[in-house]
Amino acid sequence: MRAKITYAVTAAVLVVYFVLVGSRGVLLIKHGTLLTVTFGVAVLILPVIGVWFLWKNTQFVQRANRLAAELEAEGGLPVDELKRTPGGRIDRDSADEVFARRKAETEDSPDDWRCWFRLAVAYHDARDTPRARKAMQRAIALHAGKPATSDQASASD
């Protein structure tokens, strides 16, 4: 729940920022000189890119959460079996051990979105966020019945 609140607050702050930046871009365009119109258009591009990025990330999070809910209903969510340091951080060797099992499971069933979901969690636990995201994208694509694309993770990564 804490992550959802943090995400919502961050998204709201970004939207306010996009509105402020966009209004400055409009003011520059209204000024009417070649230089200010050029800068105004350039300034308006930033919020457009930001809104697109925020939208794509929000879609990704919603889809991943739907998969998690479905997997939880099936009783297939990965169990937290990781050892932790006294400070609460995940032990690297423990994460590597779980990752190796998840990778082997995914290699045995490369078309099962559940395996890819669990592999994404293992990547995340091993602090490999880019591969965790790609594995989750693959799980989402497989769940939707879409073919996996080349930019998504492969089990041998």
Side-chain angles (χ1 to χ4, degrees):
M1 186 62 170
R2 182 177 173 183
K4 287 181 182 181
I5 292 170
T6 302
Y7 188 83
V9 168
T10 303
V13 168
L14 281 172
V15 168
V16 169
Y17 173 75
F18 298 151
V19 168
L20 290 173
V21 170
S23 69
R24 297 298 179 218
V26 170
L27 288 175
L28 284 168
I29 292 171
K30 282 183 178 180
H31 198 274
T33 68
L34 178 62
L35 184 63
T36 59
V37 169
T38 303
F39 278 136
V41 170
V43 167
L44 284 176
I45 290 172
L46 294 174
V48 169
I49 292 170
V51 166
W52 174 83
F53 183 74
L54 183 61
W55 174 251
K56 294 306 273 182
N57 277 304
T58 301
Q59 283 183 319
F60 174 76
V61 168
Q62 289 173 338
R63 290 174 182 152
N65 284 340
R66 277 194 290 265
L67 293 187
E70 186 174 331
L71 204 53
E72 182 179 30
E74 295 174 359
L77 276 180
V79 178
D80 185 1
E81 54 190 318
L82 299 168
K83 297 175 187 161
R84 304 199 185 266
T85 65
R89 294 185 64 100
I90 294 172
D91 178 65
R92 183 70 171 183
D93 293 335
S94 175
D96 289 345
E97 178 184 316
V98 171
F99 172 79
R101 281 186 299 182
R102 298 291 183 225
K103 183 178 175 187
E105 173 186 276
T106 305
E107 287 171 346
D108 289 343
S109 301
D111 295 328
D112 186 356
W113 68 266
R114 293 161 186 86
C115 294
W116 282 100
F117 183 95
R118 289 188 284 266
L119 181 64
V121 172
Y123 271 127
H124 182 268
D125 291 341
R127 297 187 194 109
D128 192 345
T129 305
R131 286 190 177 136
R133 187 172 184 87
K134 286 181 180 182
M136 187 60 73
Q137 287 170 340
R138 187 159 199 154
I140 291 167
L142 288 170
H143 183 266
K146 298 177 187 172
T149 61
S150 62
D151 64 330
Q152 294 168 345
S154 66
S156 60
D157 280 349

